[in-house]
């Protein structure tokens, strides 16, 4: 569960973007288990998840052959499994960057909201490296990334109205019910809602 300092960051983002901060915290809790960073090479880094099938699609034939030989990519979803530890995931990502850094970053989900790097352009970042550098700079920027994803995906109203099935579809895919993702969101919201001031969306900020 996120501590008071992190909850204050959700509150700040909620006011800035007209998003229910308790609902923001609920998504982040579901995606990251209430963990904000992991210690990698003496630095606090965001949580990541590398998707080998995304990586495979973004490579030239020569790079693709190399990545497949090193078991870093595959055309099959789920064939490249994520290691259990974040340290091992970061090592996997580092190996992928040696083949194609931008493709590796685009094929990774980042931070407490687990937003894919491939979304960098329409979320307003100058490059995927810019997005990664920004999200790695602070927990506040992790929350900013997640907030942008919700807003630019036209999910602000769904979030503020606690339409968990719609949020779950966009965050977990069409098979979200199999994972009970919508129920997990609702449960996390029930946990966080009492810890935040009452939220009322502002009509002036809905545009």
């Amino acid at each position: 569960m996120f501590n008071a300092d992190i909850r204050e960051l959700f509150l700040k983002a909620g006011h800035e973007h007209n998003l229910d901060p308790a609902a923001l915290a609920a998504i982040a809790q579901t995606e990251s288990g209430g963990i904000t960073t992991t210690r990698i090479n003496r630095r606090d880094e965001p949580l990541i998840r590398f998707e080998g099938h995304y990586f495979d699609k973004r490579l030239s034939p020569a790079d693709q052959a190399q990545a497949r030989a090193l078991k870093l990519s595959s055309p099959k979803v789920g064939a490249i499994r994520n290691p259990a530890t974040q340290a091992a995931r970061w090592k996997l990502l580092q190996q992928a960057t040696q083949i194609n850094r931008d493709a590796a970053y685009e094929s990774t989900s980042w931070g407490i909201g687990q937003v894919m790097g491939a979304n960098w352009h329409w979320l307003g970042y100058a490059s995927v490296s810019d997005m990664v550098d920004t999200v790695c700079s602070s927990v506040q920027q992790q929350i900013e990334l997640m907030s942008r994803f919700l807003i630019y995906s036209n999910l602000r109203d769904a979030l503020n109205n606690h339409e968990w099935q719609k949020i779950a579809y966009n965050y977990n895919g069409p098979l979200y019910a199999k994972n009970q993702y919508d129920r997990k969101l609702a449960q996390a919201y029930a946990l966080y809602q009492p810890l935040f001031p009452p939220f009322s969306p502002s009509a002036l900020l809905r545009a």
Side-chain angles (χ1 to χ4, degrees):
M1 186 172 180
F2 298 113
N3 63 33
D5 289 340
I6 302 302
R7 295 199 301 271
E8 187 65 26
L9 295 178
F10 283 116
L11 186 61
K12 180 179 179 181
H15 286 318
E16 181 176 350
H17 296 296
N18 198 28
L19 295 167
D20 183 348
L24 282 176
I27 293 177
Q29 177 70 37
T30 305
E31 287 290 327
S32 69
I35 299 171
T36 57
T37 58
T38 185
R39 196 71 173 173
I40 304 293
N41 296 327
R42 300 180 182 179
R43 282 175 49 91
D44 288 329
E45 303 285 10
L47 305 187
I48 63 169
R49 179 179 177 85
F50 180 74
E51 301 291 355
H53 64 288
Y54 272 75
F55 190 48
D56 193 75
K57 291 187 293 186
R58 285 167 167 76
L59 298 174
S60 68
D63 286 347
Q64 192 180 72
Q66 181 184 4
R68 290 181 181 181
L70 294 173
K71 299 188 184 304
L72 295 172
S73 79
S74 170
K76 183 179 178 181
V77 177
I80 307 301
R81 294 191 176 184
N82 269 262
T85 68
Q86 283 292 316
R89 292 184 186 189
W90 274 90
K91 183 177 180 179
L92 183 68
L93 174 61
Q94 184 180 31
Q95 291 175 314
T97 61
Q98 293 173 2
I99 296 176
N100 186 310
R101 187 186 64 175
D102 285 355
Y105 284 171
E106 289 179 345
S107 304
T108 302
S109 55
W110 296 89
I112 55 178
Q114 288 294 281
V115 176
M116 287 295 296
N119 295 309
W120 64 267
H121 186 266
W122 67 277
L123 294 183
Y125 295 93
S127 64
V128 67
S129 292
D130 176 48
M131 193 201 93
V132 171
D133 289 345
T134 302
V135 79
C136 288
S137 67
S138 69
V139 176
Q140 184 175 352
Q141 288 298 332
Q142 292 187 45
I143 298 173
E144 172 66 18
L145 174 62
M146 180 175 66
S147 299
R148 289 192 191 190
F149 179 80
L150 289 162
I151 293 166
Y152 297 164
S153 299
N154 295 316
L155 293 172
R156 178 189 274 129
D157 287 345
L159 183 83
N160 291 341
N161 293 326
H162 314 138
E163 298 173 17
W164 303 125
Q165 291 181 346
K166 187 172 183 178
I167 298 294
Y169 182 91
N170 283 271
Y171 249 94
N172 200 243
L175 300 179
Y176 69 86
K178 181 179 179 180
N179 302 319
Q180 297 187 330
Y181 193 90
D182 54 332
R183 294 186 181 183
K184 293 176 182 177
L185 289 173
Q187 291 169 354
Y189 180 75
L191 179 68
Y192 281 102
Q193 191 273 333
L195 302 178
F196 288 91
F199 174 77
S200 179
S202 171
L204 296 176
L205 297 177
R206 290 169 69 91

